Amino acid sequence: MKDLRRYLVLKYIQYLVLSSSNAVSTFLGLLGSLYAIIILQSAKVSSKSTAVLISSLAKADILVCITVVSAMVLWTFDVSISSPALTSALLQNLLTANAHVSCLLLSCVAFEAYLITFFPTESRHLRTVKNARLTSRIIWMLVSAECALFQTDDLLKATSTFAPTRSPCILLFHFSSMAAALLRSLSYFLGIILRIINVYIYYKIFFSMSNRLTLKTK
């Protein structure tokens, strides 16, 4: 599990420490996810709830792979696109989905570590593989709905210039635009809150482990 801990540290740095991912952190993250998926093929490791969350975290980088490969194909072969703005928005929304899924899953891993450290017996019925899979599915569904709204907003923006001024599409455009703007603001503040919560959790865990080691040495 030491390699998986190193992988989690890499992911925490990539998504919850750095303000935005760069090429180096993204490349290292992809390599780490590939290595984590290989490790998680072991039956002994994959039978744990934390491993389920880490597996879902690693698979989220598939969205990054799709984005990178698509961008490289478009750039290498100079493919002409009828709506370059929509394509760019779609690729950006895939990266957004990856970041949001990863942040939420990392927070779930941190919360589970907190339960293991402070409530190991009381929380055993919560820390099951079934609950971990259910949590992962809920996160993917929520983020998918979020990015579908973002993509709908981008699509309506691209087609609004061709719609009649009194068309029902205009009302839909305004509603979608307001909902997407509100959701982006909420996502931003949620990201800040998750960073604070994660720092607090690992702060508590670190000092709890330090105190236990100190007591053992006395």
Side-chain angles (χ1 to χ4, degrees):
M1 291 292 285
K2 286 184 179 179
D3 288 335
L4 291 179
R5 289 193 193 101
R6 294 189 187 102
Y7 170 67
L8 287 175
V9 170
L10 173 63
K11 284 297 176 180
Y12 276 110
I13 293 172
Q14 183 181 357
Y15 292 108
L16 294 172
V17 175
L18 298 176
S19 57
S20 60
S21 295
N22 52 51
V24 175
S25 64
T26 300
F27 178 70
L28 292 175
L30 289 173
L31 288 180
S33 293
L34 178 61
Y35 184 55
I37 289 173
I38 294 172
I39 293 176
L40 289 168
Q41 298 306 308
S42 167
K44 184 182 289 188
V45 175
S46 60
S47 62
K48 298 179 180 179
S49 58
T50 305
V52 173
L53 296 173
I54 296 175
S55 175
S56 188
L57 173 66
K59 290 172 183 175
D61 273 355
I62 294 173
L63 298 175
V64 179
C65 290
I66 294 173
T67 304
V68 172
V69 171
S70 300
M72 288 179 64
V73 168
L74 293 174
W75 179 75
T76 303
F77 298 100
D78 194 20
V79 180
S80 58
I81 306 171
S82 57
S83 300
L86 276 179
T87 304
S88 177
L90 175 60
L91 297 181
Q92 184 58 48
N93 286 331
L94 289 176
L95 292 177
T96 299
N98 166 261
H100 289 183
V101 167
S102 298
C103 288
L104 290 170
L105 287 171
L106 285 169
S107 299
C108 290
V109 171
F111 181 64
E112 188 170 54
Y114 180 85
L115 292 178
I116 292 171
T117 304
F118 297 102
F119 308 101
T121 306
E122 301 89 332
S123 65
R124 190 168 293 169
H125 68 285
L126 295 174
R127 297 182 287 104
T128 62
V129 171
K130 181 180 178 181
N131 286 342
R133 286 175 179 161
L134 178 62
T135 301
S136 296
R137 289 194 192 102
I138 291 173
I139 288 173
W140 275 100
M141 288 171 61
L142 290 174
V143 174
S144 297
E146 174 196 36
C147 290
L149 177 61
F150 290 160
Q151 192 62 31
T152 301
D153 181 48
D154 293 326
L155 176 63
L156 290 173
K157 283 179 180 176
T159 58
S160 61
T161 53
F162 304 101
T165 54
R166 294 188 179 181
S167 169
C169 291
I170 297 299
L171 295 176
L172 181 61
F173 166 72
H174 286 303
F175 173 77
S176 174
S177 181
M178 289 176 60
L182 178 62
L183 194 53
R184 284 188 172 97
S185 298
L186 289 175
S187 298
Y188 175 76
F189 287 112
L190 180 60
I192 294 175
I193 292 170
L194 287 179
R195 283 179 169 88
I196 295 171
I197 291 174
N198 277 272
V199 169
Y200 173 77
I201 286 174
Y202 283 110
Y203 168 84
K204 294 282 289 184
I205 291 173
F206 175 77
F207 280 100
S208 174
M209 298 301 290
S210 298
N211 291 334
R212 290 177 189 178
L213 289 173
T214 302
L215 291 173
K216 284 182 180 181
T217 54
K218 287 183 179 181

